[in-house]
Amino acid sequence: QVQLVESGGGSVQPGGSLTLSCTAPKEIFSRCGMGWYRQAPGKESELVSIRSDLGIKVYADSVKGRFTISQDDVKTTMYLQMNSLKIEDTAVYYCVACRIYTRRHYQHWGQGTQVTVSP
């Protein structure tokens, strides 16, 4: 069972910042695309940002210019720096790894971390 260990969620006011972290086993980190999806209450999960297995970074239009995905190769950890947070960014954020072409989209999912943006 591959374990993706997430941390960094929390509550913040609009305009604030948070950084999410996701640590993966080395073979997953080096071989697979990794990133984040999110799911807000009553909504489908949506892609937030992905670093593909070729190193290409992709962002949802709704977070472009505000969120930045990065990585630490030594720590085998991905980061999602979230700035200028909006109320609509409130969701459970899931770290994902290893793209598959099914409705699940990614083979491995983390446990999820709550991000709440409120006045």
Side-chain angles (χ1 to χ4, degrees):
Q1 183 79 11
V2 170
Q3 192 169 15
L4 304 177
V5 180
E6 301 180 48
S7 63
S11 296
V12 66
Q13 293 184 337
S17 298
L18 285 172
T19 301
L20 305 183
S21 301
C22 175
T23 300
K26 184 177 180 179
E27 68 170 34
I28 297 296
F29 183 86
S30 60
R31 177 173 60 88
C32 289
M34 290 187 61
W36 275 267
Y37 271 63
R38 68 185 180 187
Q39 187 167 23
K43 294 188 177 181
E44 298 271 333
S45 61
E46 63 174 354
L47 181 148
V48 177
S49 181
I50 294 291
R51 183 268 290 152
S52 77
D53 58 346
L54 298 179
I56 298 168
K57 297 179 181 179
V58 175
Y59 297 92
D61 287 343
S62 59
V63 307
K64 281 180 182 176
R66 300 188 298 121
F67 291 12
T68 302
I69 192 169
S70 63
Q71 63 190 65
D72 184 322
D73 294 346
V74 174
K75 296 181 179 179
T76 65
T77 298
M78 299 294 298
Y79 300 98
L80 185 68
Q81 175 68 43
M82 305 184 293
N83 297 328
S84 303
L85 282 161
K86 303 176 180 180
I87 292 173
E88 52 264 41
D89 293 319
T90 295
V92 178
Y93 285 68
Y94 295 92
C95 179
V96 298
C98 301
R99 183 79 166 94
I100 55 175
Y101 294 91
T102 69
R103 288 182 56 136
R104 187 171 165 83
H105 301 298
Y106 282 82
Q107 183 177 1
H108 307 293
W109 290 66
Q111 79 277 12
T113 187
Q114 177 70 46
V115 171
T116 301
V117 185
S118 62

